[in-house]
PDB file of all heavy atoms in Angstrom:
ATOM      1  N   PHE A 218     109.105  28.137  83.094  1.00 93.00           N
ATOM      2  CA  PHE A 218     110.147  28.316  84.112  1.00 93.00           C
ATOM      3  C   PHE A 218     109.561  27.940  85.465  1.00 93.00           C
ATOM      4  O   PHE A 218     108.533  28.477  85.887  1.00 93.00           O
ATOM      5  CB  PHE A 218     110.600  29.783  84.096  1.00 93.00           C
ATOM      6  CG  PHE A 218     111.775  30.090  84.990  1.00 93.00           C
ATOM      7  CD1 PHE A 218     112.633  29.102  85.432  1.00 93.00           C
ATOM      8  CD2 PHE A 218     112.023  31.387  85.396  1.00 93.00           C
ATOM      9  CE1 PHE A 218     113.711  29.383  86.248  1.00 93.00           C
ATOM     10  CE2 PHE A 218     113.097  31.698  86.213  1.00 93.00           C
ATOM     11  CZ  PHE A 218     113.941  30.688  86.636  1.00 93.00           C
ATOM     12  N   GLN A 239     104.563  30.008  80.801  1.00 96.00           N
ATOM     13  CA  GLN A 239     104.216  29.244  82.007  1.00 96.00           C
ATOM     14  C   GLN A 239     105.249  29.498  83.098  1.00 96.00           C
ATOM     15  O   GLN A 239     106.457  29.385  82.861  1.00 96.00           O
ATOM     16  CB  GLN A 239     104.150  27.745  81.686  1.00 96.00           C
ATOM     17  CG  GLN A 239     103.762  26.886  82.881  1.00 96.00           C
ATOM     18  CD  GLN A 239     103.529  25.442  82.465  1.00 96.00           C
ATOM     19  OE1 GLN A 239     103.306  25.146  81.290  1.00 96.00           O
ATOM     20  NE2 GLN A 239     103.567  24.539  83.420  1.00 96.00           N
ATOM     21  N   LEU A 240     104.763  29.846  84.293  1.00 93.00           N
ATOM     22  CA  LEU A 240     105.646  30.174  85.413  1.00 93.00           C
ATOM     23  C   LEU A 240     105.137  29.498  86.682  1.00 93.00           C
ATOM     24  O   LEU A 240     103.961  29.616  87.028  1.00 93.00           O
ATOM     25  CB  LEU A 240     105.702  31.690  85.616  1.00 93.00           C
ATOM     26  CG  LEU A 240     106.552  32.215  86.772  1.00 93.00           C
ATOM     27  CD1 LEU A 240     108.020  31.857  86.569  1.00 93.00           C
ATOM     28  CD2 LEU A 240     106.392  33.729  86.912  1.00 93.00           C
ATOM     29  N   SER A 241     106.038  28.768  87.353  1.00 90.00           N
ATOM     30  CA  SER A 241     105.701  28.124  88.624  1.00 90.00           C
ATOM     31  C   SER A 241     106.699  28.573  89.676  1.00 90.00           C
ATOM     32  O   SER A 241     107.916  28.431  89.493  1.00 90.00           O
ATOM     33  CB  SER A 241     105.753  26.597  88.491  1.00 90.00           C
ATOM     34  OG  SER A 241     104.790  26.138  87.563  1.00 90.00           O
ATOM     35  N   PHE A 257     105.670  41.749  90.177  1.00 86.00           N
ATOM     36  CA  PHE A 257     106.477  40.675  89.592  1.00 86.00           C
ATOM     37  C   PHE A 257     105.844  40.158  88.295  1.00 86.00           C
ATOM     38  O   PHE A 257     106.512  39.998  87.268  1.00 86.00           O
ATOM     39  CB  PHE A 257     106.619  39.555  90.621  1.00 86.00           C
ATOM     40  CG  PHE A 257     107.318  38.322  90.124  1.00 86.00           C
ATOM     41  CD1 PHE A 257     108.671  38.342  89.830  1.00 86.00           C
ATOM     42  CD2 PHE A 257     106.625  37.131  89.962  1.00 86.00           C
ATOM     43  CE1 PHE A 257     109.321  37.196  89.379  1.00 86.00           C
ATOM     44  CE2 PHE A 257     107.264  35.991  89.516  1.00 86.00           C
ATOM     45  CZ  PHE A 257     108.613  36.023  89.220  1.00 86.00           C
ATOM     46  N   LEU A 264     102.213  35.815  79.794  1.00 96.00           N
ATOM     47  CA  LEU A 264     102.045  34.641  80.655  1.00 96.00           C
ATOM     48  C   LEU A 264     100.593  34.160  80.610  1.00 96.00           C
ATOM     49  O   LEU A 264      99.654  34.954  80.702  1.00 96.00           O
ATOM     50  CB  LEU A 264     102.417  35.006  82.089  1.00 96.00           C
ATOM     51  CG  LEU A 264     102.677  33.846  83.052  1.00 96.00           C
ATOM     52  CD1 LEU A 264     103.967  33.123  82.668  1.00 96.00           C
ATOM     53  CD2 LEU A 264     102.773  34.364  84.489  1.00 96.00           C
ATOM     54  N   HIS A 266      99.935  30.695  82.127  1.00 96.00           N
ATOM     55  CA  HIS A 266      99.822  29.675  83.172  1.00 96.00           C
ATOM     56  C   HIS A 266     100.705  30.095  84.349  1.00 96.00           C
ATOM     57  O   HIS A 266     101.910  30.308  84.178  1.00 96.00           O
ATOM     58  CB  HIS A 266     100.280  28.301  82.660  1.00 96.00           C
ATOM     59  CG  HIS A 266      99.625  27.860  81.392  1.00 96.00           C
ATOM     60  ND1 HIS A 266      98.325  27.415  81.345  1.00 96.00           N
ATOM     61  CD2 HIS A 266     100.101  27.808  80.112  1.00 96.00           C
ATOM     62  CE1 HIS A 266      98.021  27.105  80.096  1.00 96.00           C
ATOM     63  NE2 HIS A 266      99.069  27.343  79.332  1.00 96.00           N
ATOM     64  N   PHE A 267     100.109  30.191  85.532  1.00 95.00           N
ATOM     65  CA  PHE A 267     100.860  30.636  86.704  1.00 95.00           C
ATOM     66  C   PHE A 267     100.494  29.789  87.912  1.00 95.00           C
ATOM     67  O   PHE A 267      99.318  29.522  88.182  1.00 95.00           O
ATOM     68  CB  PHE A 267     100.573  32.113  87.003  1.00 95.00           C
ATOM     69  CG  PHE A 267     101.285  32.636  88.221  1.00 95.00           C
ATOM     70  CD1 PHE A 267     102.657  32.512  88.356  1.00 95.00           C
ATOM     71  CD2 PHE A 267     100.576  33.251  89.256  1.00 95.00           C
ATOM     72  CE1 PHE A 267     103.319  32.991  89.485  1.00 95.00           C
ATOM     73  CE2 PHE A 267     101.223  33.741  90.379  1.00 95.00           C
ATOM     74  CZ  PHE A 267     102.597  33.607  90.488  1.00 95.00           C
ATOM     75  N   THR A 268     101.529  29.330  88.639  1.00 92.00           N
ATOM     76  CA  THR A 268     101.356  28.550  89.864  1.00 92.00           C
ATOM     77  C   THR A 268     102.235  29.144  90.953  1.00 92.00           C
ATOM     78  O   THR A 268     103.400  29.478  90.709  1.00 92.00           O
ATOM     79  CB  THR A 268     101.762  27.078  89.645  1.00 92.00           C
ATOM     80  OG1 THR A 268     100.884  26.486  88.698  1.00 92.00           O
ATOM     81  CG2 THR A 268     101.678  26.288  90.959  1.00 92.00           C
TER      82      THR A 268
END
Side-chain angles (χ1 to χ4, degrees):
F218 186 20
Q239 181 172 341
L240 178 63
S241 297
F257 175 69
L264 196 69
H266 308 286
F267 179 54
T268 296

